[in-house]
Every structure is written in structure tokens, then in C-alpha cells.
């Protein structure tokens, strides 16, 4: 049992697991920000410009059931905003990671061994003449 707990402790305290936990927490908070942006700013703008009710719903017959298409549109807008922001963040991180690295100078490729041997043979033949 002690070994099992030790293995779990090593796993839980690894850098990757901790980084992932922080990422999930920040991602959830970022999701709330995007949802608020969409519902409080973007949806009213769409409603003002297009005259469409983004939080709309359609009544399905006399059953009292509604088809809430507005929530679906809001979820799509949230997804697109989050995907775009994540794309920009990944692009920025990749750019920052390459700033510190110098481009390695390309070394001239060494000729194949056959070519080196043929060159040596040629030089030896020239010396004999």
C-alpha cells in the first residue's frame, strides 16, 4: 500500500499533471468570460443589427415544448470565439519559443564515402603522373 501511495504521489506531483490542472482551471474561467461576452455583448448587437432574437425559441405545437435555437447559436458563437482565441495563444507561444533560438547554421553536407574515396584515388593517380 505504501508503494502504491508513493507512486500516486509521484504521478500527481509531476509537472505535466500540475500544468494540466492549472490549464483546466484557467480554461473554465476563460469559458465563463467568453460566455459572458457572447451573451451580454454579441447577442444584443446581433439582435439590434439584424432584428433577430438570438435567444429565440419556437413553440412545438400545443405540447408546451419549445425548440431553443437561440442557445444553440450562442454555443456556436462561444465555440468560435474560444477556438480563435486558443489559435492566437498557440501561435503567440510558438512565436515566443522561437525567438530565443538561433537558427542553426546549416553545415555543408559531407560527401558520401564513395565520393571521398574516388577523390583520393584521383589525387593519388595525379601524383603518380
Amino acid at each position: 500500500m505504501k508503494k502504491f501511495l508513493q507512486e500516486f504521489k509521484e504521478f500527481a506531483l509531476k509537472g505535466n499533471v500540475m500544468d494540466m490542472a492549472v490549464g483546466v482551471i484557467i480554461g473554465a474561467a476563460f469559458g465563463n468570460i467568453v460566455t459572458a461576452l457572447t451573451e451580454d455583448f454579441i447577442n444584443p448587437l446581433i439582435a439590434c443589427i439584424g432584428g433577430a432574437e438570438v435567444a429565440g425559441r419556437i413553440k412545438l405545437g400545443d405540447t408546451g415544448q419549445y425548440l431553443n435555437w437561440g442557445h444553440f447559436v450562442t454555443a456556436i458563437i462561444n465555440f468560435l470565439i474560444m477556438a480563435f482565441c486558443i489559435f492566437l495563444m498557440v501561435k503567440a507561444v510558438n512565436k515566443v519559443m522561437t525567438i530565443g533560438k538561433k537558427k542553426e547554421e546549416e553545415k555543408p553536407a559531407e560527401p558520401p564515402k564513395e565520393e571521398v574515396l574516388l577523390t583520393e584515388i584521383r589525387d593519388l593517380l595525379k601524383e603518380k603522373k
Side-chain angles (χ1 to χ4, degrees), residues 17-33 82:
V17 175
M18 297 302 286
D19 292 344
M20 187 175 64
V22 169
V24 168
I25 293 168
I26 290 174
F30 185 67
N32 290 336
I33 291 170
M82 289 185 74

Side-chain angles (χ1 to χ4, degrees), residues 2-3 5-6 20 22 24-25 29 34 38 48 51 54 59 61 69 78 90-92 103 107 111 119 122 124 126:
K2 216 175 195 182
K3 184 178 178 184
L5 291 175
Q6 180 65 25
M20 187 175 64
V22 169
V24 168
I25 293 168
V34 171
T38 304
C48 289
V54 177
K59 186 173 183 178
W69 61 270
N78 285 346
V90 168
K91 192 170 179 160
K103 291 184 179 179
K107 296 179 183 176
T119 305
R122 182 196 65 204
L124 288 172
K126 280 183 182 178

Side-chain angles (χ1 to χ4, degrees), residues 71-99:
H71 293 291
F72 180 71
V73 170
T74 301
I76 290 173
I77 293 171
N78 285 346
F79 171 77
L80 293 174
I81 292 171
M82 289 185 74
F84 183 69
C85 290
I86 290 171
F87 168 74
L88 292 177
M89 287 190 304
V90 168
K91 192 170 179 160
V93 167
N94 288 339
K95 182 92 170 179
V96 168
M97 297 298 281
T98 60
I99 287 175

Side-chain angles (χ1 to χ4, degrees), residues 124-129:
L124 288 172
L125 287 173
K126 280 183 182 178
E127 287 178 12
K128 282 188 176 181
K129 290 183 181 180

